[in-house]
Amino acid sequence: MSDRFDCKNCHESLYGRKYIQVEDNPHCIPCYDHLYANTCQECKEIITHNSKMTLEENDHKHFRLSSVAGSKMLEYSGSTWHEDCFVCHGCEKPIGAEAFIPAENNYYCVPCYEGRLAPRCSHCNKALTKGGVTYRDEVWHKECFVCTGCKTTLAGQPFTSEGENPYCVKCFSSLYAKKCAGCNTAALKCVFDLQALTKGGVTYRDEVWHKECFVCTGCKTTLAGQPFTSEGENPYCVKCFSSLYAKKCAGCNTAITGFGDGKYISFEERQWHQPCFKCSRCSVSLVGSGFFPDRDQILCTDCNNDD
């Protein structure tokens, strides 16, 4: 007598019948479908034993079904469907063999997604389904996002804006950047540093200068970071200004520049550094005291009374 070959679940003989092995245990087809078959996500009915198809991502970031001939079950992201139940949420056409896009907890064929849900390019108003640029809370195709001036694409390139219009660095500098008063080229070191428009430069009399262009009118030494003064519209270093324009102290005969000299005193046609304003005879300080002019001299009260 031969050994029995029965279904693990119902114990009916499997001789001459189809069966499915599960963990080395044979099951008749009805028992297998009852115990192990999947439920359709759409119609909630059992999906009987058959080959299945798996949904997978393609190169265009849409999704599609891998092809298995004669298949009746589709599987994607942990859920299963009858092949005819997996339909577009928009047009309700089966999309098992087509590219589709998951969105808003549903699935759409590409035409329905583009027509209903895809964001629109701010320039051409066509659907934007992959890639793109976000600018001022709007989206653009990469090829549509261009410089307002020269129309060069800005995707992946540095750019800035004037009002609501984007510009490449070259066009923005040419059209809107302040020009150096010395060389008349753009004074911007970096167009994105809008808080410091002349980064690395100098502002003088409401004009901007490159650091290397802002020099003494006399000796041409750079004045950036150095004390300087002016005569009319022209800036001068302390040395040149003292030599060309500063008045001389009647006491020490050196220039009165206002740089490090403190206050100075002026009387008639003469000026003194404050420390130099003292009696010509006894050298007592006359600052804040009465004094008496005596030809080229200035005298304190006591020395004047001695006369």
Side-chain angles (χ1 to χ4, degrees):
M1 183 174 181
S2 61
D3 294 335
R4 293 185 61 83
F5 185 58
D6 300 336
C7 171
K8 177 67 176 178
N9 183 59
C10 68
H11 305 295
E12 292 186 4
S13 175
L14 295 175
Y15 282 112
R17 300 173 60 186
K18 292 182 178 180
Y19 67 91
I20 298 175
Q21 200 89 353
V22 179
E23 296 180 352
D24 296 330
N25 295 312
H27 290 71
C28 65
I29 298 304
C31 284
Y32 177 84
D33 285 343
H34 174 72
L35 294 173
Y36 300 106
N38 298 91
T39 300
C40 176
Q41 181 73 16
E42 181 65 23
C43 69
K44 309 304 180 185
E45 294 183 2
I46 294 296
I47 302 174
T48 59
H49 76 285
N50 278 300
S51 299
K52 65 181 180 179
M53 301 171 75
T54 302
L55 304 186
E56 58 188 31
E57 191 173 357
N58 70 9
D59 293 338
H60 299 291
K61 304 303 181 184
H62 298 160
F63 294 83
R64 63 179 174 81
L65 298 173
S66 60
S67 178
V68 179
S71 180
K72 292 185 178 181
M73 185 182 84
L74 311 179
E75 182 179 11
Y76 170 67
S77 190
S79 298
T80 54
W81 292 263
H82 289 109
E83 189 174 21
D84 293 337
C85 290
F86 190 71
V87 299
C88 171
H89 188 70
C91 63
E92 298 185 351
K93 292 181 180 179
I95 52 176
E98 306 294 334
F100 70 94
I101 302 173
E104 298 184 344
N105 297 319
N106 287 300
Y107 305 93
Y108 293 85
C109 65
V110 174
C112 284
Y113 176 81
E114 291 182 349
R116 295 167 179 247
L117 300 175
R120 298 282 163 176
C121 173
S122 295
H123 175 72
C124 67
N125 201 39
K126 293 181 180 179
L128 196 150
T129 58
K130 60 178 181 177
V133 176
T134 300
Y135 173 69
R136 294 186 180 273
D137 297 325
E138 296 180 336
V139 292
W140 310 62
H141 291 113
K142 290 182 179 179
E143 59 272 20
C144 292
F145 189 63
V146 299
C147 171
T148 306
C150 64
K151 308 305 179 185
T152 300
T153 180
L154 296 176
Q157 303 298 322
F159 68 91
T160 187
S161 62
E162 176 63 24
E164 296 186 356
N165 300 317
Y167 287 90
C168 67
V169 175
K170 183 177 180 180
C171 286
F172 182 83
S173 297
S174 173
L175 295 171
Y176 298 106
K178 290 186 177 181
K179 299 295 190 293
C180 172
C183 66
N184 199 40
T185 59
L188 291 178
K189 292 296 183 183
C190 174
V191 294
F192 302 105
D193 191 358
L194 300 182
Q195 294 180 350
L197 194 59
T198 56
K199 185 177 180 180
V202 176
T203 300
Y204 173 68
R205 293 186 180 273
D206 297 325
E207 293 181 319
V208 292
W209 306 65
H210 292 116
K211 181 171 65 175
E212 58 272 19
C213 294
F214 189 64
V215 297
C216 172
T217 306
C219 65
K220 307 306 179 185
T221 300
T222 180
L223 297 177
Q226 305 297 324
F228 67 91
T229 187
S230 62
E231 176 64 24
E233 299 289 327
N234 300 317
Y236 287 89
C237 67
V238 175
K239 183 177 180 180
C240 286
F241 180 82
S242 300
S243 173
L244 296 171
Y245 300 105
K247 297 182 184 236
K248 298 294 191 297
C249 173
C252 67
N253 201 37
T254 61
I256 299 175
T257 63
F259 295 99
D261 299 321
K263 296 180 180 179
Y264 68 93
I265 297 166
S266 179
F267 175 70
E268 293 181 347
E269 298 298 324
R270 291 181 290 174
Q271 289 79 31
W272 292 263
H273 296 114
Q274 195 172 72
C276 296
F277 189 61
K278 52 191 176 182
C279 178
S280 300
R281 292 183 183 176
C282 68
S283 298
V284 66
S285 174
L286 297 177
V287 178
S289 303
F291 65 93
F292 298 89
D294 183 13
R295 293 182 295 276
D296 293 335
Q297 297 181 331
I298 51 173
L299 303 175
C300 64
T301 302
D302 291 339
C303 290
N304 183 66
N305 290 337
D306 288 345
D307 290 344

